[in-house]
């Protein structure tokens, strides 16, 4: 039994291992639901019934985090799992056919950083060791299990795809809390990460609330020079542009892309409810700058261009996903599918937005019989009916 299953047993009288309701992913034609607390479950995509636990044929024996990534070009799947006891973080690679765990490594961290997502490029895996820390000793002393400890520092590790802990090159970065990676890629001697970065805990405790905007994420760039060890950091978006839950065209995972899409935080509604709420969508133009926001003393480059698709008052989205257009010629040929809930009418809908006409009206709106809870992740995978 993993620690997270054990803590659920103590709190609720049963293991929550079957509630794999954070994300859905596909590998080698099979579909899986996953949460941070247990291994994934293979599901029947047509009936949504659970078929079995998935543990890479017995080779993976710990929780699996909600954002596995495919290696560009090979189709292999990079997985990783966090535990509250040593080894705190392990990374694995699953063969393209899904039959074998071909590589598994203990990262040998000296603390349990709450890592929700990693980056993958052609040659590297990017590991986020940030100071949002799970600490059993603190819990036993009646403190919080999860706490943001800025003074303990932050770093990003770049490991060769089939490397081990000794092969990781670590880069010290400004302390932050980042759950979601937009993309990562290689650019000359640099490994570049784009992510949604907050200045404080993304899981504030009861004494914190959401009354300060530092809990909300802004899009951020880290450039890590593998030759010189130099780190360059900057905000990609303006000071009041709070964005999270990023998605891209999946064909560009691990390679340089021009566009990304995020959900837009409504800071007023979020503060009032003490949970993040997203009142719109944003399209990020990584190759275009925006002169709307002045360049600050600590940043030489202008923020990137951002285009918005905003919803009506008290309408919030979750689970956005990018759907590539079949036969599309450009990276942004496609649609965003997102789940909306109108808190005034209690009506939930699916909206489909043309990403070439992003600020325009949705091309389709479908009313649902029930709502999708805020915070659930979305994914799109093509299905063969043959």
């Amino acid at each position: 039994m993993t620690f997270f299953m054990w803590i659920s047993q103590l709190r609720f009288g049963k293991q929550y291992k079957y509630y794999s309701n954070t994300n859905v992913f596909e590998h080698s034609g099979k579909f899986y639901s996953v949460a941070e607390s247990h291994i994934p479950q293979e599901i029947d995509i047509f009936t949504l019934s659970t078929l079995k636990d998935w543990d890479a044929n017995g080779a993976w024996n710990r929780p699996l985090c909600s954002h596995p990534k495919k290696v560009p070009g090979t189709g292999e799947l990079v997985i990783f799992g966090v535990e509250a006891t040593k080894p705190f973080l392990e990374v694995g690679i699953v063969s393209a056919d899904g039959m074998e765990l071909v590589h598994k490594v203990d990262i040998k961290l000296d603390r349990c950083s709450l890592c929700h997502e990693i980056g993958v490029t052609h040659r590297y895996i990017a590991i986020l060791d940030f100071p949002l820390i799970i600490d059993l000793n603190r819990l036993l002393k009646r403190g919080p299990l999860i706490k943001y400890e800025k003074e303990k520092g932050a770093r990003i590790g770049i490991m060769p795809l089939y490397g081990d802990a000794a092969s990781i090159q670590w880069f010290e970065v400004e302390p932050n809390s980042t759950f979601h990676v937009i993309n990562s890629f290689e650019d000359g001697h640099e490994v570049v990460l784009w992510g949604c970065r907050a200045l404080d805990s993304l899981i504030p405790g009861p004494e914190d609330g959401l009354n300060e905007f530092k809990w909300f994420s802004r899009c951020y760039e880290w450039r890590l020079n593998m030759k010189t060890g130099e780190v360059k950091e900057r905000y990609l978006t303006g000071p009041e542009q709070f964005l999270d839950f990023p998605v891209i065209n999946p064909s560009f995972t691990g390679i340089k892309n021009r566009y990304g899409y995020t959900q837009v935080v409504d800071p007023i509604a979020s503060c009032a409810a003490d949970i993040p709420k997203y009142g719109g969508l944003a399209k990020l133009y990584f190759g275009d700058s925006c002169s709307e926001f002045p360049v600050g003393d600590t940043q030489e480059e202008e923020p990137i261009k951002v285009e918005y698709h905003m919803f009506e008052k008290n309408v919030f989205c979750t689970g956005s996903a990018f759907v590539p257009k079949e036969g599309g010629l450009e990276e942004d040929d496609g649609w965003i599918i997102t789940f909306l809930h109108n808190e005034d009418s209690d009506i939930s809908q699916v909206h489909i937005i043309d990403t070439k006409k992003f600020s325009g009206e949705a091309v389709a709106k479908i009313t649902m019989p029930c709502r999708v809870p805020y915070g659930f992740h979305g994914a799109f995978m093509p299905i063969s009916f043959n």
Side-chain angles (χ1 to χ4, degrees):
M1 184 187 301
T2 71
F3 167 77
F4 295 109
M5 292 163 56
W6 172 77
I7 205 74
S8 294
Q9 182 96 28
L10 286 179
R11 184 177 180 188
F12 301 108
K14 61 181 178 180
Q15 298 170 14
Y16 266 18
K17 64 179 182 179
Y18 298 114
Y19 291 83
S20 55
N21 55 7
T22 301
N23 202 6
V24 177
F25 68 93
E26 176 273 338
H27 187 54
S28 188
K30 296 182 178 180
F31 300 87
Y32 305 92
S33 60
V34 63
E36 312 290 306
S37 60
H38 193 55
I39 57 177
Q41 279 78 52
E42 184 182 346
I43 58 174
D44 184 316
I45 201 65
F46 295 103
T47 66
L48 300 185
S49 60
T50 301
L51 300 178
K52 61 181 179 179
D53 288 348
W54 182 68
D55 59 5
N57 289 322
W60 188 261
N61 58 354
R62 60 170 37 224
L64 190 143
C65 291
S66 298
H67 291 280
K69 294 275 180 73
K70 289 195 178 182
V71 179
T74 72
E76 296 166 306
L77 187 72
V78 178
I79 61 176
F80 63 107
V82 173
E83 264 286 21
T85 56
K86 287 186 176 182
F88 295 124
L89 176 64
E90 290 185 339
V91 173
I93 300 177
V94 179
S95 60
D97 61 10
M99 298 302 294
E100 184 182 1
L101 185 70
V102 294
H103 187 64
K104 183 179 180 182
V105 58
D106 173 10
I107 303 303
K108 298 191 183 301
L109 297 183
D110 60 5
R111 64 185 184 183
C112 182
S113 299
L114 185 52
C115 180
H116 183 65
E117 188 163 7
I118 58 176
V120 173
T121 74
H122 281 106
R123 296 185 295 163
Y124 299 110
I125 298 170
I127 299 155
L128 309 184
D129 181 18
F130 293 166
L132 186 58
I133 299 170
I134 299 171
D135 190 333
L136 288 181
N137 290 325
R138 186 173 56 230
L139 179 67
L140 293 173
K141 296 174 183 177
R142 299 182 180 272
L145 176 63
I146 302 171
K147 185 179 179 181
Y148 180 70
E149 299 182 271
K150 178 180 179 180
E151 69 281 0
K152 293 191 176 180
R155 59 183 187 164
I156 297 173
I158 304 300
M159 181 177 74
L161 198 59
Y162 277 85
D164 57 16
S167 68
I168 300 173
Q169 185 171 346
W170 289 103
F171 296 83
E172 302 292 327
V173 298
E174 292 294 322
N176 72 93
S177 184
T178 297
F179 269 7
H180 294 120
V181 173
I182 303 169
N183 199 15
S184 54
F185 55 91
E186 299 165 39
D187 187 8
H189 293 301
E190 293 179 324
V191 175
V192 181
L193 265 75
W194 292 332
C196 295
R197 170 190 184 265
L199 292 176
D200 214 308
S201 175
L202 286 163
I203 308 178
E207 73 282 359
D208 299 317
L210 290 173
N211 294 320
E212 296 185 50
F213 291 175
K214 63 183 179 180
W215 315 120
F216 303 133
S217 300
R218 288 169 60 190
C219 295
Y220 201 75
E221 177 183 83
W222 295 271
R223 285 186 166 269
L224 314 171
N225 193 306
M226 300 295 292
K227 186 175 182 179
T228 67
E230 182 183 10
V231 179
K232 295 179 182 178
E233 304 184 40
R234 71 172 180 122
Y235 284 109
L236 293 171
T237 53
E240 300 301 321
Q241 294 175 306
F242 301 118
L243 310 169
D244 206 345
F245 285 87
V247 295
I248 64 171
N249 184 328
S251 298
F252 288 80
T253 298
I255 60 177
K256 190 171 184 178
N257 56 311
R258 294 183 60 194
Y259 307 102
Y261 311 87
T262 70
Q263 298 175 181
V264 180
V265 176
D266 183 326
I268 304 303
S270 299
C271 289
D274 265 356
I275 60 169
K277 292 186 176 183
Y278 301 90
L281 300 169
K283 181 179 181 179
L284 310 175
Y285 292 76
F286 295 113
D288 298 336
S289 61
C290 174
S291 58
E292 178 182 350
F293 299 102
V295 176
D297 294 337
T298 59
Q299 181 158 318
E300 298 178 355
E301 299 181 61
E302 291 181 339
I304 64 172
K305 176 184 173 182
V306 181
E307 184 180 0
Y308 291 97
H309 181 102
M310 301 305 294
F311 308 124
E312 298 175 5
K313 184 179 180 181
N314 292 331
V315 176
F316 306 104
C317 69
T318 195
S320 303
F322 181 84
V323 181
K325 182 180 293 184
E326 188 173 356
L329 299 178
E330 297 183 306
E331 179 188 333
D332 61 342
D333 279 335
W335 301 269
I336 290 288
I337 297 181
T338 191
F339 300 96
L340 268 62
H341 180 66
N342 187 317
E343 294 189 351
D344 293 333
S345 66
D346 201 30
I347 292 174
S348 293
Q349 293 184 316
V350 175
H351 282 204
I352 303 175
I353 297 120
D354 187 337
T355 49
K356 285 286 194 181
K357 303 173 182 176
F358 194 75
S359 57
E361 277 291 309
V363 298
K365 300 178 181 179
I366 306 164
T367 299
M368 298 191 298
C370 59
R371 62 171 294 198
V372 175
Y374 297 148
F376 280 21
H377 295 38
F380 176 83
M381 284 100 33
I383 298 173
S384 174
F385 290 93
N386 295 332

